[in-house]
C-alpha cells in the first residue's frame, strides 16, 4: 500500500476565503438598511433582517483547519491486465462540518479507471465522461471520505495516480478553503510473463550444483560410461553385469549436474512501434521487457543464476543471483527500463567495469535498429562469448507514410536490416525472432553443440 499524506506533499493552505454568496448577502443587507434609513421605511429593515440573521448564524462557527488529502494505491503484485484499485481520501480535522467537498484526481492513461465513487455509491466513468472529472460529497466533523478508483492496469511500468486536489465549502457555502493538492503516487505494474520453456541445453554449466548436465564427472543423473572400481566409489554405483563378465568390480560413471549463468542484455538505444497495452499491439520495449521477465523466470525457476544488463547510456545492471528474491528484484528492475538514445558508443561503459563470465549465456534482446547494436553482438562473438540475439522488432511495423518516397525508403531499410542480420549469422551470432515458448530451443541446441565441439587444430 503506497500513500502520500498531505503533511508531506500538499500545498500549505493559507486559510479560508469568502464566496460570492457571502458577498451578495452582505451587499443586499447593506443596501436595504441604507435605503431604510434614507427613505424612513421600516419594512425594508424587516426585509434585511433575515439576510443579516442568516449570515450571522452561518458564520457563528467558522472553520480554521484545512482539509487533509492523501492518495492510497494498492499495488501489491499487480500484473498488467489485472484489476487496479486506488483511493483518494479527504478528511475533516476541523470541528466544523464541510458542507461540500469537491475532489478531482488525474490518473495515468495506462490505468483504465472504470468505476469511481464514494463508498458504495460508484459511477461508471465510461458513461459519465472520464475519471478526472470533479466529484462532490459532504464530510462530517472528524470524519474522512474515500473516493475509490477501480479499473484495469493496461501496461507495465510505474504509473501515477494523481496529483489530486480538493476544495471544501463550509458555513452554509459562505466560506471556501484554498485548494489542497497532493503529489502523485506511482503504482507498480509488473509485466505479464507468458509461459516460457526452453531446452536444457547450455553452452557450459559452471556452478557446483544445478539442473544442467555438464561434461565433468560427478554425482549426477547422466550416464557417462563404465569404469573400474576405485577408492571413494559408492557401492550402489557398482554395475554387477559388467563386473561378473570382467571378473573385476566396475562402477557406472555419471556426469555432474551444475547450474549456469544467464545474462539478459536489453538493447534500449531505440524504440519502435506503438504500445497498445496488454491486449493490444506491442512496441519494442513491450516485447523486450516481457521477454526478459519470461526468460528470467524460466532460468531462475531451474536454479540458474540470472543477471540483467542495459545496453544504453545509463548502463544499468543487476548482479547475478538465484531464487525467488532475484526474480522479484528482476521485475522491479524492469519497471525502470526506458528507451534512451545516445550519441556515444556505450560498449565500454556497459562492459568495461564488469567482465562477463566466460561460461555465461548472453541473451541479447534487441530490435537491431542501430548499427552499434550489431557491432556489440559481433564483438561479443569474437570475444568467445556464447551469444543469442532475440529480435524484438514488431512484425507488423508500418512504414512512416504512404506518400512520396516513404514506402521505397522503408523497403530499402528492411533490406539493409536483413543484410545486417545475415552478416551477424556469418559471425556466429544466431538471430531468432521472439515467439514465446520454444523461441530459443533450436539456437540453444546449436550453441551447446558448438561449445562441446572440438576446436580446430586442437591436439
Amino acid at each position: 500500500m503506497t500513500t502520500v499524506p498531505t503533511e508531506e506533499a500538499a500545498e500549505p493552505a493559507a486559510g479560508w476565503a469568502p464566496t460570492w454568496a457571502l458577498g451578495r448577502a452582505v451587499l443586499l443587507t447593506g443596501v436595504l438598511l441604507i435605503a431604510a434609513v434614507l427613505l424612513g421605511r421600516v419594512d425594508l429593515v424587516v426585509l434585511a433582517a433575515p439576510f443579516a440573521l442568516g449570515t450571522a448564524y452561518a458564520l457563528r462557527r467558522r472553520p480554521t483547519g484545512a482539509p487533509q488529502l492523501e492518495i492510497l494505491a494498492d499495488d501489491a503484485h499487480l500484473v498488467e491486465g489485472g484489476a487496479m484499485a486506488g483511493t483518494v481520501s479527504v478528511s475533516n480535522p476541523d470541528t466544523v462540518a464541510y458542507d461540500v467537498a469537491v475532489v478531482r484526481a488525474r490518473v495515468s492513461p495506462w490505468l483504465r479507471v472504470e468505476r469511481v465513487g464514494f463508498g458504495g455509491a460508484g459511477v461508471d466513468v465510461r458513461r459519465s465522461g472520464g475519471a478526472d472529472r470533479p466529484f462532490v460529497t459532504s464530510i462530517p466533523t472528524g470524519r474522512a471520505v474515500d473516493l475509490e478508483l477501480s479499473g484495469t492496469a493496461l501496461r507495465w511500468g510505474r504509473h501515477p495516480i494523481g496529483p489530486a486536489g480538493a476544495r471544501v465549502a463550509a458555513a452554509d457555502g459562505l466560506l471556501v478553503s484554498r485548494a489542497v493538492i497532493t503529489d502523485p503516487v506511482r503504482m507498480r505494474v509488473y509485466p505479464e510473463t507468458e509461459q516460457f520453456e526452453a531446452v536444457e541445453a547450455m553452452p557450459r554449466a559452471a556452478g557446483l550444483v544445478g539442473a544442467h548436465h555438464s561434461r565433468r564427472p560427478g554425482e549426477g543423473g547422466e550416464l557417462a560410461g563404465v569404469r573400474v572400481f576405485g577408492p571413494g566409489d559408492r557401492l550402489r554405483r557398482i554395475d554387477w553385469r559388467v563386473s561378473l563378465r570382467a571378473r573385476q568390480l566396475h562402477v557406472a560413471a555419471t556426469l555432474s549436474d551444475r547450474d549456469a549463468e544467464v545474462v539478459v542484455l536489453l538493447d534500449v538505444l531505440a524504440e519502435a512501434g506503438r504500445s497498445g497495452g496488454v491486449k493490444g499491439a506491442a512496441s519494442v520495449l513491450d516485447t523486450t521487457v516481457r521477454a526478459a521477465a519470461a526468460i528470467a523466470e524460466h532460468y531462475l525457476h531451474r536454479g540458474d543464476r540470472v543477471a540483467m544488463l542495459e545496453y544504453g547510456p545509463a548502463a544499468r545492471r543487476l548482479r547475478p543471483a538465484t531464487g525467488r528474491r532475484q526474480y522479484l528484484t528482476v521485475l522491479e528492475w524492469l519497471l525502470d527500463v526506458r528507451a534512451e538514445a545516445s550519441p556515444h558508443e556505450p560498449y565500454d561503459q556497459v562492459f568495461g567495469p564488469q567482465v562477463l563470465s566466460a561460461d555465461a549465456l548472453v541473451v541479447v534482446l534487441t530490435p537491431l535498429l542501430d548499427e552499434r547494436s550489431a557491432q556489440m553482438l559481433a564483438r561479443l562473438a569474437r570475444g568467445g562469448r556464447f551469444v543469442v540475439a532475440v529480435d524484438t522488432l514488431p512484425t507488423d511495423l508500418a512504414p512512416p507514410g504512404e506518400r512520396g518516397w516513404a514506402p521505397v525508403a522503408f523497403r530499402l531499410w528492411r533490406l539493409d536490416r536483413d543484410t545486417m542480420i545475415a552478416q551477424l549469422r556469418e559471425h556466429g551470432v544466431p538471430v531468432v525472432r521472439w515467439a514465446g515458448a520454444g523461441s530459443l530451443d533450436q539456437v540453444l541446441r546449436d550453441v551447446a553443440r558448438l561449445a562441446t565441439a572440438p576446436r580446430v587444430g586442437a591436439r
Side-chain angles (χ1 to χ4, degrees):
M1 184 73 71
T2 306
T3 65
V4 171
T6 304
E7 290 79 5
E8 295 179 1
E11 296 180 355
W16 293 73
T19 63
W20 287 104
L22 178 58
R24 287 192 297 268
V26 173
L27 178 61
L28 184 58
T29 302
V31 169
L32 290 175
L33 292 177
I34 292 174
V37 172
L38 294 178
L39 299 178
R41 297 179 57 180
V42 181
D43 57 337
L44 295 179
V45 177
V46 175
L47 290 176
F51 295 98
L53 293 177
T55 303
Y57 181 80
L59 295 177
R60 76 190 188 283
R61 296 179 62 192
R62 299 183 58 181
T64 57
Q68 295 179 351
L69 187 65
E70 64 178 351
I71 302 176
L72 302 94
D74 188 6
D75 59 355
H77 307 292
L78 179 59
V79 181
E80 53 182 351
M84 56 81 60
T87 302
V88 181
S89 180
V90 188
S91 58
N92 180 5
D94 211 322
T95 57
V96 179
Y98 296 154
D99 301 321
V100 175
V102 182
V103 185
R104 188 170 186 174
R106 291 182 179 179
V107 182
S108 168
W110 294 117
L111 300 176
R112 184 176 62 193
V113 179
E114 300 169 352
R115 190 170 181 81
V116 179
F118 292 99
V123 295
D124 191 346
V125 298
R126 291 175 295 183
R127 302 177 182 177
S128 59
D132 60 345
R133 68 184 184 90
F135 292 85
V136 181
T137 186
S138 60
I139 307 178
T141 302
R143 298 286 298 275
V145 178
D146 295 336
L147 177 64
E148 299 175 354
L149 313 173
S150 60
T152 306
L154 299 180
R155 188 174 185 257
W156 59 272
R158 303 181 190 272
H159 304 301
I161 297 181
R167 296 191 72 177
V168 300
D172 293 338
L174 300 182
L175 297 176
V176 63
S177 70
R178 300 190 181 275
V180 178
I181 302 175
T182 64
D183 288 336
V185 168
R186 297 197 174 272
M187 178 174 285
R188 297 172 297 178
V189 181
Y190 297 113
E192 182 185 41
T193 57
E194 59 180 309
Q195 189 66 28
F196 173 73
E197 295 291 340
V199 297
E200 297 184 8
M202 272 288 170
R204 289 175 187 165
L208 298 177
V209 294
H212 301 288
H213 303 311
S214 72
R215 293 178 296 169
R216 299 180 182 180
E219 295 295 329
E222 184 73 11
L223 185 64
V226 180
R227 58 177 175 79
V228 178
F229 182 87
D233 289 334
R234 298 185 179 182
L235 296 179
R236 62 185 180 88
R237 293 286 187 183
I238 296 177
D239 191 328
W240 292 105
R241 288 186 178 181
V242 177
S243 300
L244 291 175
R245 241 186 352 254
R247 298 181 179 275
Q248 187 179 5
L249 287 179
H250 283 70
V251 294
T254 58
L255 297 177
S256 62
D257 294 334
R258 296 170 179 261
D259 66 344
E261 180 177 339
V262 180
V263 179
V264 183
L265 180 60
L266 284 66
D267 181 4
V268 295
L269 289 178
E271 166 71 315
R274 179 173 297 180
S275 177
V278 64
K279 300 300 182 182
S283 66
V284 167
L285 274 188
D286 289 341
T287 305
T288 299
V289 170
R290 292 165 187 164
I295 294 172
E297 181 184 23
H298 170 73
Y299 286 110
L300 287 172
H301 181 71
R302 296 182 57 83
D304 296 323
R305 289 167 286 121
V306 175
M308 310 292 287
L309 283 175
E310 267 190 8
Y311 189 71
R316 295 193 310 131
R317 64 192 56 172
L318 180 65
R319 63 178 182 81
T322 61
R324 177 171 175 77
R325 177 178 294 181
Q326 177 71 357
Y327 176 61
L328 297 177
T329 306
V330 166
L331 292 180
E332 193 76 21
W333 188 87
L334 289 174
L335 295 183
D336 298 320
V337 173
R338 298 288 183 273
E340 190 174 358
S342 173
H344 308 291
E345 171 60 59
Y347 187 91
D348 295 334
Q349 185 177 358
V350 174
F351 300 106
Q354 177 175 343
V355 179
L356 294 177
S357 172
D359 299 323
L361 172 65
V362 184
V363 181
V364 183
L365 301 169
T366 173
L368 291 173
L369 295 175
D370 197 310
E371 291 185 359
R372 292 172 294 181
S373 302
Q375 295 172 1
M376 175 266 296
L377 289 169
R379 292 176 66 178
L380 288 176
R382 287 196 301 266
R385 308 297 179 187
F386 303 106
V387 184
V388 174
V390 179
D391 187 3
T392 58
L393 189 70
T395 56
D396 55 350
L397 187 65
E402 298 294 338
R403 296 182 179 180
W405 293 94
V408 178
F410 184 74
R411 288 197 296 269
L412 290 175
W413 171 79
R414 279 284 190 183
L415 291 174
D416 183 65
R417 186 173 179 274
D418 293 341
T419 303
M420 181 193 307
I421 294 176
Q423 291 176 348
L424 285 175
R425 288 171 176 163
E426 290 178 358
H427 281 79
V429 180
V431 181
V432 61
R433 182 170 295 279
W434 175 255
S439 300
L440 309 181
D441 284 355
Q442 186 59 45
V443 293
L444 287 179
R445 292 191 186 97
D446 296 340
V447 172
R449 187 165 54 250
L450 290 175
T452 55
R455 297 182 179 180
V456 178
R459 295 182 180 178

